[in-house]
Amino acid sequence: MSKTKLSTIKDLLGEDYVVPGTPLCAGCGALIILRLFHKVLGGRVVWVNAAGCVTLMMVYPFAPLKSSWMYTAMACAPAGAQGIRDALDILIEKGRIPIEEDLKVVVVTGDGAANDIGLQSTSGAIHRGLDFYYLCYDNEAFGNTGFQYSAATPYGSRTATSPPTPLIPEGYRGTKKDLFEIWRAHKPPYVATISPSHPMDVVRKIEKAEKYRGPKLFISLSPCQPGWLIDTMDAIKVAKLAVETGVWPLKEAVYGEVRHTFIPRRLKPVEEYLKIQGRFSHLFYPVKRDDVIAKIQSEVEEYWRAVYAREIGKEDAGIS
Amino acid sequence: MLIYARFHGRGGQGVKTASRILGNAAHFEGYYTQDFPIYGAERRGAPVVAFTRISDEPTPIPERGYIFNPNLIILADESLLNDPIVNPISGLQNSGTLFINTSKPVDKIFINRDDVRIVVEDLIDLSLKYVGKPVLSTSLGAVAAKLTGIIRWVSLEEGVKEELLEIGIRGEMLEKNILLAKACFERVYPTPLPIPKLAEPRKIVKINWMPVDLTIPEIRNVGNTRVRKTGNWRIFKPILNPEKCTRCGICVIYCPEGVITMTDNGLEIDYDNCKGCLICFNECPVKAFNYIREVEAA
Ligand SMILES: Cc1ncc(C[n+]2csc(CCOP(=O)(O)OP(=O)(O)O)c2C)c(N)n1
Ligand code: SF4
Ligand code: SF4
Ligand code: SF4
Ligand SMILES: [Mg+2]
């Protein structure tokens, strides 16, 4: 499957495999990343999806995809992917379909399915070395059912089930599960984090992943307008800030070896990212919660100190 | 007196909150009340429905479930008026009231009923003026409360406060919303509403067993959502200035809907499906996009 290399945005303006008219929210970050992912993978794809917002793209009798799609129960999209991969392999082996008609098997789920309900079936599939892609669009909550907290919800976020109250004024008290590290611990050929705000980073990562047989796993930050309480026009702006403040590192791991693909020269204060999102507004009003903001800032800095030390040899390189 | 109110609008306009504000106001007035939305698959911008039942009688409201025969309909978005799927005026009782949020005068509104009262106001304009956002929860709730004819301003004010505090709106923003509610409350006047028809008792439908391959839906038509024309979700319409555009392609990649196409003659925007999120406007590095408020449905 040779393809010409995509080296600038202009190379990405060709055929689109997701047509307009989906029922997803105006300004949905998940749709931006899904469209881009599909563009880079090409049209010969079968998606396997567990319940979440993206499922709503398929509302009988409508489908926005030019490719194939199968819906599974929430816990078992990677098991569904195994079934399809096996079926394709057998059909090819028996000569029932030519090898050129092979499809890439791509699981797409939200963070709830990836971190909570579907984690064991993903672990099984990675462990078996299943040849598939996984795209987790991380909107940091159970979006489809009304934005309840998930294991991917960050500390301090308001969700439907972690509202700021007089007793718990900071909102969500837990911490975000480190799905990248959990997946990486299996030492799959490829695992990466991506963001819709950095399309060429996404392109380079998919192109790199394509060279490997086995699990190729992606976690994309996915700004969610009604859940994050942001303006419909701000999905990309928020995603950029997540990267520039260091809240959402862009990185990859090949067989477990980590490398950051974007290292901020100077981290912007996390406050810039938090303050434009309504889900964090209780940290700024009626009283500014400097303690909570400082805690978030120091966790980000702790992470980056290690990265700066390891990857550029100077621990406080980007920390003011 | 029974008020059976049905709200139609688009996800994100505040229809659900409006139905709750009305419910709260009625509750503070001392009435029995129910309010609830349809929990559905559709999203921000997509058509949504919510309901409020109010009774000033001494016994609780006997009915549950959707309202099929309302005596008051609150339509948040005029572009839905003649949408055959939404059909917002279906079941409206003879001599009931239909409120439409529109910038048009009432004589420019056409429906195939002459037995109902139509009330119009440009609530987007009022909301932009008072709170700076095109969100209609407060204004719709206030108009609805007034049109019931049985809710006083004090109860509405309480209702707005309780609802908005619950969703995290406080301080100056809350005060602005109260002023908006007051302005809306004073703008419309009620006429007596007809007595709603109670629903017939439900029949139980028996569904026979079917083999699994018949009950799993399969869609063989690929890429057909285009015909759904999500262009009527728009509140703002992006307008390109082709002179400024450098054809860098950034908006093509960032547009969630994929409605911007690069052609040999520059960009083409499919307004039939553009949802008006304005990411193109926000992200264009040379500010080649501007936007205008959408007044006519796409
Ligand atoms: C086993 C199971 N539990 C609960 C649900 C209900 N459900 C449907 S979508 C959803 C939210 C999924 O969250 P996430 O995976 O983060 O995707 P998002 O909705 O955020 O896109 C839930 C809980 C379900 N379908 N199956
Ligand atoms: S709720 Fe969030 S993730 Fe779901 S469709 Fe809307 S913007 Fe997208
Ligand atoms: S982002 Fe701006 S300059 Fe670039 S193609 Fe779009 S409109 Fe033209
Ligand atoms: S407003 Fe712009 S970015 Fe949003 S759907 Fe329309 S064309 Fe696309
Ligand atoms: Mg989610």
Side-chain angles (χ1 to χ4, degrees):
Chain A
M1 256 176 263
S2 70
K3 248 188 344 193
T4 45
K5 203 167 157 55
L6 305 166
S7 44
T8 70
I9 292 274
K10 290 192 177 166
D11 299 326
L12 288 172
L13 306 182
E15 181 164 11
D16 217 336
Y17 302 96
V18 190
V19 311
T22 73
L24 303 195
C25 301
C28 170
L31 193 51
I32 305 177
I33 199 67
L34 190 89
R35 173 181 306 287
L36 178 63
F37 212 80
H38 209 336
K39 246 187 180 156
V40 184
L41 284 180
R44 300 211 56 81
V45 161
V46 49
W47 296 91
V48 187
N49 169 247
C53 281
V54 153
T55 309
L56 303 177
M57 295 202 310
M58 302 291 175
V59 180
Y60 188 81
F62 296 106
L65 296 175
K66 295 184 187 167
S67 52
S68 299
W69 171 278
M70 187 178 78
Y71 175 63
T72 69
M74 202 160 173
C76 61
Q82 177 86 54
I84 295 180
R85 187 63 264 159
D86 290 352
L88 285 165
D89 288 346
I90 291 168
L91 289 171
I92 290 167
E93 201 180 292
K94 289 190 171 168
R96 300 250 300 270
I97 60 169
I99 184 114
E100 309 80 66
E101 281 184 23
D102 191 16
L103 300 172
K104 293 172 183 161
V105 183
V106 189
V107 168
V108 56
T109 79
D111 51 289
N115 286 272
D116 292 335
I117 308 178
L119 183 57
Q120 62 84 5
S121 108
T122 315
S123 175
I126 305 174
H127 189 62
R128 292 190 302 273
L130 176 65
D131 187 25
F132 78 124
Y133 295 80
Y134 194 133
L135 171 60
C136 166
Y137 59 96
D138 186 356
N139 58 8
E140 307 194 314
F142 287 92
N144 187 38
T145 39
F147 212 72
Q148 296 83 9
Y149 70 75
S150 76
T153 300
Y155 170 66
S157 168
R158 153 198 286 277
T159 69
T161 40
S162 63
T165 61
L167 221 55
I168 309 181
E170 70 266 50
Y172 183 62
R173 266 195 175 166
T175 45
K176 190 177 170 77
K177 210 188 246 189
D178 197 341
L179 186 63
F180 180 87
E181 284 299 309
I182 295 170
W183 280 356
R184 186 175 79 89
H186 296 70
K187 299 210 168 42
Y190 197 79
V191 43
T193 58
I194 52 178
S195 163
S197 55
H198 289 62
M200 291 320 294
D201 182 68
V202 178
V203 171
R204 281 189 289 270
K205 285 173 174 166
I206 298 174
E207 285 185 333
K208 189 162 181 179
E210 276 177 332
K211 300 197 186 94
Y212 299 99
R213 225 186 132 75
K216 299 168 270 267
L217 316 165
F218 294 80
I219 311 166
S220 178
L221 184 69
S222 192
C224 167
Q225 187 262 323
W228 293 19
L229 301 168
I230 54 176
D231 202 285
T232 57
M233 65 168 86
D234 281 344
I236 294 295
K237 180 173 161 191
V238 173
K240 270 185 196 155
L241 279 169
V243 173
E244 290 163 2
T245 55
V247 168
W248 189 263
L250 295 177
K251 56 186 168 180
E252 62 183 7
V254 175
Y255 291 109
E257 284 296 314
V258 184
R259 188 181 77 90
H260 283 70
T261 56
F262 175 82
I263 299 187
R265 270 240 192 121
R266 195 144 285 292
L267 294 175
K268 288 188 176 167
V270 292
E271 198 172 319
E272 289 188 29
Y273 170 66
L274 303 175
K275 75 177 176 216
I276 61 166
Q277 302 179 58
R279 64 173 169 154
F280 296 112
S281 63
H282 56 283
L283 305 183
F284 297 90
Y285 188 87
V287 275
K288 192 165 170 213
R289 292 297 306 265
D290 285 316
D291 54 332
V292 179
I293 298 168
K295 188 169 162 197
I296 298 171
Q297 182 71 49
S298 78
E299 269 163 27
V300 167
E301 286 179 9
E302 192 189 332
Y303 175 92
W304 280 98
R305 267 179 217 288
V307 176
Y308 287 130
R310 199 174 58 237
E311 297 192 27
I312 58 177
K314 190 166 179 294
E315 188 189 270
D316 56 357
I319 295 163
S320 353
Chain B
M1 182 69 219
L2 289 174
I3 308 288
Y4 278 23
R6 194 171 69 207
F7 293 75
H8 289 271
R10 299 184 175 284
Q13 283 181 325
V15 159
K16 177 182 138 199
T17 308
S19 74
R20 292 175 56 115
I21 288 175
L22 175 59
N24 279 350
H27 169 76
F28 286 120
E29 199 62 65
Y31 305 137
Y32 281 110
T33 172
Q34 302 171 349
D35 55 64
F36 51 99
I38 289 186
Y39 173 79
E42 308 276 350
R43 298 285 135 167
R44 184 128 309 206
V48 292
V49 189
F51 310 91
T52 311
R53 282 193 182 90
I54 302 167
S55 167
D56 66 357
E57 287 165 24
T59 48
I61 300 167
E63 284 190 292
R64 294 288 182 277
Y66 300 163
I67 295 174
F68 297 102
N69 295 294
N71 50 10
L72 173 62
I73 288 179
I74 305 291
L75 180 57
D77 195 313
E78 191 220 328
S79 68
L80 295 172
L81 183 59
N82 293 308
D83 187 312
I85 298 169
V86 176
N87 196 4
I89 53 175
S90 74
L92 177 58
Q93 304 240 320
N94 184 343
S95 80
T97 295
L98 166 64
F99 173 83
I100 306 174
N101 166 37
T102 173
S103 53
K104 290 182 187 162
V106 74
D107 57 5
K108 289 276 182 305
I109 299 290
F110 302 103
I111 60 171
N112 59 359
R113 297 270 303 261
D114 54 10
D115 59 340
V116 298
R117 174 180 175 223
I118 303 179
V119 182
V120 296
E121 275 305 328
D122 189 346
L123 297 185
I124 298 246
D125 235 40
L126 279 171
S127 300
L128 286 172
K129 185 170 143 208
Y130 281 89
V131 301
K133 287 183 188 164
V135 179
L136 298 170
S137 2
T138 299
S139 48
L140 288 170
V143 162
K146 183 68 171 286
L147 290 175
T148 64
I150 57 169
I151 293 172
R152 291 166 305 152
W153 164 247
V154 281
S155 307
L156 174 64
E157 188 180 6
E158 280 304 293
V160 170
K161 268 192 198 151
E162 166 145 321
E163 185 57 30
L164 297 190
L165 280 172
E166 198 182 313
I167 56 175
I169 296 173
R170 293 154 217 267
E172 196 194 340
M173 202 57 193
L174 181 61
E175 277 155 33
K176 286 183 181 169
N177 271 281
I178 303 276
L179 289 178
L180 171 63
K182 181 97 181 156
C184 295
F185 195 75
E186 282 165 2
R187 256 178 131 92
V188 293
Y189 67 92
T191 50
L193 296 173
I195 295 163
K197 195 163 69 196
L198 298 188
E200 320 235 312
R202 298 288 157 79
K203 285 193 224 86
I204 291 177
V205 182
K206 191 163 179 286
I207 298 171
N208 291 326
W209 182 88
M210 273 188 277
V212 172
D213 58 345
L214 282 181
T215 55
I216 291 180
E218 256 185 61
I219 308 172
R220 283 163 190 264
N221 195 344
V222 290
N224 61 354
T225 46
R226 203 183 286 276
V227 300
R228 300 188 87 189
K229 302 229 184 303
T230 46
N232 67 1
W233 292 27
R234 273 198 306 275
I235 297 173
F236 295 106
K237 179 180 189 171
I239 307 285
L240 176 74
N241 177 353
E243 246 102 87
K244 277 196 181 174
C245 172
T246 61
R247 304 191 183 187
C248 68
I250 284 176
C251 59
V252 180
I253 294 302
Y254 284 156
C255 170
E257 309 307 318
V259 294
I260 311 180
T261 319
M262 185 69 77
T263 71
D264 292 343
N265 306 319
L267 294 186
E268 264 173 26
I269 301 166
D270 166 14
Y271 284 116
D272 280 354
N273 280 296
C274 157
K275 289 177 186 163
C277 67
L278 299 182
I279 288 180
C280 50
F281 160 79
N282 217 16
E283 295 304 326
C284 170
V286 297
K287 291 273 160 247
F289 275 101
N290 215 325
Y291 64 89
I292 53 169
R293 206 189 117 194
E294 195 74 73
V295 275
E296 288 287 328

